[in-house]
Structures are given as C-alpha cells and as structure tokens.
Amino acid sequence: TYNHDPASGDLAQPAWPTLFARAHRAGLTTAMSAGKSKFSVFAEPGVLDGVFLPRRGETASDSLVAGAAVSWIAARRPRVLFVHLAGSDLTGHREGWGSPVQVAAAATADRALGRILEALARAGLTDSTLVIVSADHGGAGDTHGGLDARNHFIPWIAAGPGVRADFDLTRKRALEVRTEDTFA
C-alpha cells in the first residue's frame, strides 16, 4: 500500500515503514543504488545514508549502479544495502527474453554482481553479510504478463551466514517463496 496524491505529481510513498526506515531507526547505516528512477519511492528523507538513482524517467547502467555500491562498501560499509541492476530487464522488454542481446545483458549484470561481491570480500564482510539475488519477474517474448510459466518463475538465491548451502527451496512443498516478500 502506498500513500499518493495524484494531483501532486509526486511518486507514491510506502504507507508503512520500509526496511530502510526500520534499519535507520535501529541505528544501522543504509544505502541504495538503483538503475531505475522508480526506486526513488524508497528514498524518503532521512532514511538513506547513501543513494544513487538516475534522474526521473531515466535509467543507469549496471556498471554505474555497481560502482556506487562498491564505493559505499569500501568507504561506509552500510549495514543494509539494496542494489538494483536494470540492464537485463530493460533489454528483455526491448529485445525479448532469452534473446542473444538479453543473454549478453545478463552477463553484464553478472559481472556487476561479481564486483559487488569482491568489494564485500575486500572489506572483510563476506562472513557477516546476507546476500539475496532475485528478479522482479520472469518473461517470455517481450513481456511478462499472461499464463506462460516463464513469466512466473524467477531466481531467488540467498547466501551468507546461517544460510544452508546448496539447498533448493522448491524441495519444500509447503513453502512458497514470493519475491514481493523479500524486500518487505
């Protein structure tokens, strides 16, 4: 749920405290680096110690997004860091999911993620950091709607202290992992 006054032209703000707001109130440092300007809804005043967002209506490359995250890890070591790499999604919509161009964009995102993981290792944070890698949706053709199963299944990978290694959550029949529950 979001609070939004359509007449204002401003983006909606979450109606409840976000992970960033709760973490900041608890005294934790927070940062966000995102490739799409729509994530500005989470950049409410006073809750982010570091923020990288493209201008409204624009996007930023995965390399720039990762670069900001790498800088913050080295200099500020935020306790809560959200990184959104937009390249693969943007390319999927433009060129089609699974197209050679999108596969190349996924490889670019993988390199960006590798830079972030290397920064965590250099900072000595690997053993104390939970990393979750996910996507907001799957896709088929150039869309992500409809009944095609490829639209509804995404990667959801967790690694870090206390996380069981090499365990596939889909093996738990009673467990339903929903991506919208991750950030909430």
Side-chain angles (χ1 to χ4, degrees):
T1 304
Y2 294 89
N3 292 321
H4 178 56
D5 175 8
S8 73
D10 292 333
L11 292 174
Q13 294 295 310
W16 289 280
T18 65
L19 171 64
F20 295 130
R22 290 181 181 272
H24 202 267
R25 276 192 227 131
L28 302 176
T29 53
T30 59
M32 173 175 62
S33 184
K36 291 183 180 179
S37 62
K38 70 180 183 179
F39 286 97
S40 65
V41 300
F42 297 113
E44 59 186 294
V47 301
L48 288 167
D49 299 300
V51 62
F52 173 82
L53 288 166
R55 291 186 184 135
R56 189 171 182 173
E58 295 183 8
T59 60
S61 73
D62 291 351
S63 180
L64 287 175
V65 171
V70 166
S71 293
W72 293 329
I73 291 167
R76 302 179 192 167
R77 297 180 182 207
R79 297 289 305 273
V80 176
L81 172 62
F82 173 79
V83 179
H84 175 264
L85 303 171
S88 186
D89 176 68
L90 295 168
T91 305
H93 283 290
R94 188 178 60 244
E95 302 292 333
W97 265 263
S99 67
V101 179
Q102 197 213 19
V103 171
T108 298
D110 185 61
R111 286 189 296 277
L113 175 59
R115 289 176 54 205
I116 295 165
L117 295 175
E118 287 171 6
L120 289 170
R122 278 193 307 275
L125 298 172
T126 304
D127 291 341
S128 62
T129 301
L130 171 66
V131 175
I132 299 174
V133 177
S134 186
D136 61 342
H137 58 77
D142 62 358
T143 188
H144 54 76
L147 299 176
D148 190 308
R150 293 175 291 180
N151 295 320
H152 304 284
F153 295 96
I154 61 166
W156 192 94
I157 303 162
V163 176
R164 188 171 164 185
D166 300 318
F167 182 73
D168 182 350
L169 291 172
T170 63
R171 294 174 50 201
K172 295 280 191 185
R173 294 198 188 279
L175 180 64
E176 182 178 342
V177 177
R178 300 182 58 86
T179 191
E180 62 267 21
D181 295 332
T182 302
F183 194 66

